[in-house]
Amino acid sequence: MPRPVSCLIKPASSRCNLNCTYCFYLEKQAIYPWSTNPTMSLDTFRLFLDQYARLCAPHLTFAWQGGEPTMMGLDWFQQVVEAQIRAGQHDNLLEQMVLGRASVCMLAPSCGYVVLEHNGDCYPCDFFVEREWKLGNIHETPLETMLEGERFRAFARMKPAHHPQCQSCEWFSLCYGECPRYRFIGNGAAEHQLSYFCPSYKRFFPHAHKRLRRTAETVARDAGLAGAPLQVPVGALH
């Protein structure tokens, strides 16, 4: 595999007991109707975890979303946490600076992680849980086959299709053009477009980089990597 892949798990699909007006995932009930009470079984999670760990360990990153994942109940989560308790989490900007990579795709050179829906369906991004982007089902198709398949590769190719301004941006090595979803905003396309948040990043990185670098140096020292070169964007040298 070209890089570690993070996973985003949707144990209750889009089901939710709230009514947030900004939630984009509620519309996914058109694919997974609430009338069927979508609920992930522990067998489905364990099947996915077994394959995910074999492919990506030790770089395992879990995120839980919905809908509202806590609708699954405390007992359910106690059992799944026992299964993933050995997995470590990293702050991705610091990981990018210390190791030169980010396990979450928003800051990585290419995008695409694994969204696990309640029934085992997998997608490359929760912004793109759409029938045309379905990778397969973990009960029917091995995870490795999905991640090596053309659909996942095609999705990953969207992010490297940068806007010309990205190529000369002094902070490019910290965001790589950011999430393609935010390129769609106002543009209607992901390729060769600027992210909606590009102006914000250009204000944030100069403001925070020195403090982030000091923290990254501490993290590297504590990890026994003292003296290792950090990922330093051009802007940090000015």
Side-chain angles (χ1 to χ4, degrees), residues 10 14 16 18-28 66-68:
K10 307 272 191 175
S14 65
C16 188
L18 303 174
N19 190 29
C20 302
T21 57
Y22 59 81
C23 182
F24 72 92
Y25 211 74
L26 288 175
E27 66 186 38
K28 303 307 177 183
E68 180 45 64

Side-chain angles (χ1 to χ4, degrees), residues 104-120:
V104 171
C105 62
M106 186 174 69
L107 302 178
S110 63
C111 65
Y113 50 93
V114 182
V115 175
L116 178 66
E117 256 290 347
H118 70 288
N119 64 343

Side-chain angles (χ1 to χ4, degrees), residues 5-19:
V5 175
S6 59
C7 63
L8 179 59
I9 303 172
K10 307 272 191 175
S13 192
S14 65
R15 285 194 299 128
C16 188
N17 54 359
L18 303 174
N19 190 29

Side-chain angles (χ1 to χ4, degrees), residues 77-88:
F77 272 103
Q78 286 176 330
Q79 293 184 73
V80 299
V81 167
E82 288 177 2
Q84 65 175 83
I85 196 66
R86 296 179 182 175

